[in-house]
């Protein structure tokens, strides 16, 4: 198994755009063709749009685009900019009188950094589509990752900068990759070394680096974190040939990567969501693709924080 660039999986483009003054942004994945997609939401406070399309009993066979954004629920209309971009190019589900692009969106809560009134809108989403390419994804403080923060269970004054990260592997022709916006209540761990990469800080500016702190002071910490100012959102992409139902299982298994890399995770203060997309025709078993999805997701989470830079008063991992 070897590491590859996320974009080597093929079958899609990625575009990003940021509001640097407001410190919020958007990341868009545009499929080359309508692609089977699944979804698993584990966090208690998601902000999402059109996700019922991905229920196995829904008629939708796949998506044309996925939007990862900042702005929380305020920004869910940004997907309209992606729909406009695709409609102008004749891309969408043909319903006779029009072609309707099928677009899902999930957002992080980034209102606590920069300008709380700054949210990605249709214009910024359209710009992200115009920026879309097959080039390597810029990581850290780009797209939806610009406003991401982590380690917030003791309040924002002890939090650190998160970001967007990618990681992908090739196993004898089977390609599986992850792109994730890391905006977690919990601490971020390197899944190989089990060491904290970024997270809650002590008053002296060093990492708490002790998972039990959350448990020991839980009642007080919950009061501080109750604003639900979190959510990690990601996409698994594979060249394995899979239908929507199977991809829902892959998305579910990929959450094990969240569990390994984010502690605590899937709390009621998070809206943790993972999409899973098939863009290829390679035959592969879900019992292989699923564990690989968890692995690459865990690696991408750490990378999102490692690539981030300090911003808005939040220290980054590279500063420690």
């Amino acid at each position: 198994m070897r590491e590859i660039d996320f974009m080597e999986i093929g079958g899609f483009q990625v575009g990003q755009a940021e509001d640097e003054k407001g410190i919020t942004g958007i990341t868009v994945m545009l499929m080359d063709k309508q692609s089977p997609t699944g979804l698993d939401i584990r966090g208690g406070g998601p902000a999402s749009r059109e996700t019922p399309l991905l229920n196995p009993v829904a008629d939708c066979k796949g998506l044309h685009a996925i939007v990862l954004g900042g702005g929380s629920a305020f920004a869910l209309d940004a997907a309209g900019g992606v729909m406009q971009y695709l409609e102008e190019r004749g891309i969408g589900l043909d319903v006779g009188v029009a072609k309707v692009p099928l677009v899902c969106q999930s957002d992080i809560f980034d209102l606590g950094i920069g300008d709380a009134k700054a949210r990605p809108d249709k214009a910024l989403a359209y710009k992200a589509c115009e920026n879309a390419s097959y080039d390597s994804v810029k990581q850290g403080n780009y797209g939806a990752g610009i406003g991401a923060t982590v380690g917030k269970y003791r309040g924002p004054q002890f939090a650190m900068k998160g970001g967007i990260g990618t990681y992908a592997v090739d196993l004898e022709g089977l390609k599986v990759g992850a792109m994730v916006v890391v905006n977690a209540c919990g601490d971020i761990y390197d899944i190989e070394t089990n060491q904290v990469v970024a997270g809650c800080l002590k008053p002296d500016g060093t990492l708490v680096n002790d998972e039990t702190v959350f448990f020991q002071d839980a009642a007080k910490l919950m009061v501080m974190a109750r604003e639900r100012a979190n959510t990690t959102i990601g996409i698994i992409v594979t060249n394995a040939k899979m239908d929507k139902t199977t991809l829902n299982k892959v998305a579910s298994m990929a959450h094990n990567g969240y569990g390994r890399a984010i502690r605590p995770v899937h709390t009621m203060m998070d809206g943790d969501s993972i999409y899973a997309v098939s863009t290829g025709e390679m035959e592969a078993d879900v019992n292989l693709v699923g564990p690989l999805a968890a692995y690459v997701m865990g690696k991408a989470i750490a990378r999102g924080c490692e690539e981030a830079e300090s911003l808005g008063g939040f220290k980054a991992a590279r500063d420690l």
Side-chain angles (χ1 to χ4, degrees), residues 45-46 107-109 181-184 229-233 269-273:
D107 289 346
I108 66 169
F109 186 107
V181 181
V182 189
N183 186 64
N230 311 292
T231 295
T232 297
I233 49 179
M269 290 81 67
D270 294 284
D272 302 323
S273 305

Side-chain angles (χ1 to χ4, degrees), residues 198-229:
C200 188
L201 297 171
K202 299 176 184 177
D204 66 2
T206 61
L207 285 165
V208 170
N209 198 18
D210 182 355
E211 187 177 358
T212 66
V213 167
F214 179 84
F215 309 129
Q216 292 167 350
D217 209 9
K220 184 171 68 175
L221 300 183
M222 288 305 94
V223 172
M224 294 179 179
R226 197 167 290 158
E227 66 271 15
R228 294 180 172 85

Side-chain angles (χ1 to χ4, degrees), residues 58-70:
D59 183 56
C60 170
K61 302 299 189 295
L63 298 182
H64 299 100
I66 298 174
V67 181
L68 305 179

Side-chain angles (χ1 to χ4, degrees), residues 241-299:
K241 183 179 181 180
M242 292 182 160
D243 60 18
K244 178 171 64 171
T245 300
T246 308
L247 288 163
N248 270 274
K249 182 59 177 177
V250 171
S252 174
M253 297 171 81
H255 273 284
N256 292 328
Y258 277 22
R260 293 174 67 186
I262 305 172
R263 306 176 200 171
V265 71
H266 301 149
T267 73
M268 298 303 285
M269 290 81 67
D270 294 284
D272 302 323
S273 305
I274 297 179
Y275 295 86
V277 182
S278 169
T279 62
E281 297 294 325
M282 182 168 184
E283 296 295 332
D285 191 274
V286 66
N287 295 299
L288 174 59
V289 176
L292 280 174
Y295 176 77
V296 296
M297 181 59 76
K299 296 286 283 186

Side-chain angles (χ1 to χ4, degrees), residues 31 187 199-200 239 297 312:
M31 312 336 177
D187 296 330
C200 188
N239 68 341
M297 181 59 76

